[in-house]
Amino acid sequence: AQSVTQLGSHVSVSEGALVLLRCNYSSSVPPYLFWYVQYPNQGLQLLLKYTTGATLVKGINGFEAEFKKSETSFHLTKPSAHMSDAAEYFCAVSDDDDMRFGAGTRLTVKP
Amino acid sequence: NAGVMQNPRHLVRRRGQEARLRCSPMKGHSHVYWYRQLPEEGLKFMVYLQKENIIDESGMPKERFSAEFPKEGPSILRIQQVVRGDSAAYFCASSPGVAGNTIYFGEGSWLTVV
């Protein structure tokens, strides 16, 4: 069965700084990988996903993630944090049509 | 095109009562997932259903919790004899069921047990 580990339950950056949220996965077959964002009291919204093809995936709001098979990683990055990026971020893996999520990383952006 | 619809959005129950949470998937989606989110915790998988079938219920507590997705109507997550520890946000998601497809989430149902 597939699983996801997100390193760091809380990440704090200054506005304008690089955002890096880490995600490692395990899967017995080539995985499909996702990042979702959750704002307070709301459901999850898809940021980006990797299925096949290019390993660098661009998503909404300036986020991108790179699939690295050798490292079993799918880290999420954004060059310059904005105050509106403060939210909870979830990495997810699917190797069939089931989907499992990491524990989430809460991103705080300081002015 | 309506998204995933969950109701009620907020539900308060006394200990020992039953809670029923409903989820209508997006149009054309035949797969439904339920997740639970406890305060300061991540999203925990509970159950995955297709129409009239439970595909994976490995995340469901063994007692008091059940889920169904009938041929007609919404998916129901039922919690019998609720306890304080059941207080959480319950999220439903749906997908067309093809591998690699995005799953779309509802806004969640917040259960408070008093």
Side-chain angles (χ1 to χ4, degrees):
Chain A
Q2 68 275 32
S3 66
V4 173
T5 302
Q6 289 184 241
L7 296 175
S9 58
H10 292 84
V11 170
S12 181
V13 300
S14 297
E15 192 173 17
L18 171 72
V19 176
L20 170 61
L21 305 181
R22 299 178 187 275
C23 171
N24 288 87
Y25 69 90
S26 69
S27 177
S28 57
V29 299
Y32 303 107
L33 296 159
F34 304 77
W35 276 99
Y36 283 82
V37 60
Q38 183 183 30
Y39 297 101
N41 299 319
Q42 294 185 26
L44 278 68
Q45 303 170 33
L46 181 70
L47 267 181
L48 51 81
K49 70 176 183 180
Y50 168 79
T51 52
T52 60
T55 55
L56 181 63
V57 181
K58 295 186 184 299
I60 62 171
N61 301 339
F63 284 93
E64 61 183 37
E66 186 171 10
F67 169 55
K68 292 187 176 180
K69 185 178 178 180
S70 60
E71 299 178 7
T72 61
S73 69
F74 191 57
H75 302 330
L76 182 71
T77 61
K78 181 173 180 177
S80 177
H82 192 272
M83 296 297 290
S84 61
D85 295 327
E88 185 112 23
Y89 292 81
F90 292 91
C91 182
V93 62
S94 172
D95 62 10
D96 192 347
D97 50 6
D98 195 353
M99 185 177 286
R100 300 302 166 99
F101 286 80
T105 298
R106 185 175 300 276
L107 175 66
T108 303
V109 182
K110 298 175 291 186
Chain B
N1 185 20
V4 178
M5 304 300 292
Q6 289 188 248
N7 70 82
R9 290 294 314 278
H10 298 274
L11 181 64
V12 179
R13 284 288 178 264
R14 296 184 185 279
R15 281 177 293 172
Q17 290 185 318
E18 178 179 287
R20 283 189 181 226
L21 309 178
R22 296 173 188 78
C23 171
S24 296
M26 284 181 72
K27 188 176 181 180
H29 286 189
S30 58
H31 293 229
V32 165
Y33 312 77
W34 284 96
Y35 294 85
R36 178 165 62 176
Q37 187 174 36
L38 292 163
E40 301 302 316
E41 293 189 22
L43 214 58
K44 301 294 186 187
F45 169 80
M46 298 183 75
V47 63
Y48 163 43
L49 310 104
Q50 295 178 24
K51 284 284 187 181
E52 300 185 277
N53 287 304
I54 296 175
I55 306 303
D56 181 352
E57 57 181 347
S58 57
M60 288 280 271
K62 292 289 185 282
E63 298 176 347
R64 302 188 298 107
F65 284 72
S66 62
E68 62 176 8
F69 188 19
K71 186 176 180 181
E72 301 291 337
S75 175
I76 307 285
L77 179 68
R78 181 183 179 201
I79 312 171
Q80 295 177 289
Q81 300 174 339
V82 296
V83 301
R84 288 246 171 92
D86 297 333
S87 296
Y90 292 84
F91 288 95
C92 172
S94 74
S95 81
V98 177
N101 262 90
T102 304
I103 69 172
Y104 295 88
F105 281 81
E107 293 292 299
S109 291
W110 269 258
L111 171 65
T112 303
V113 179
V114 298

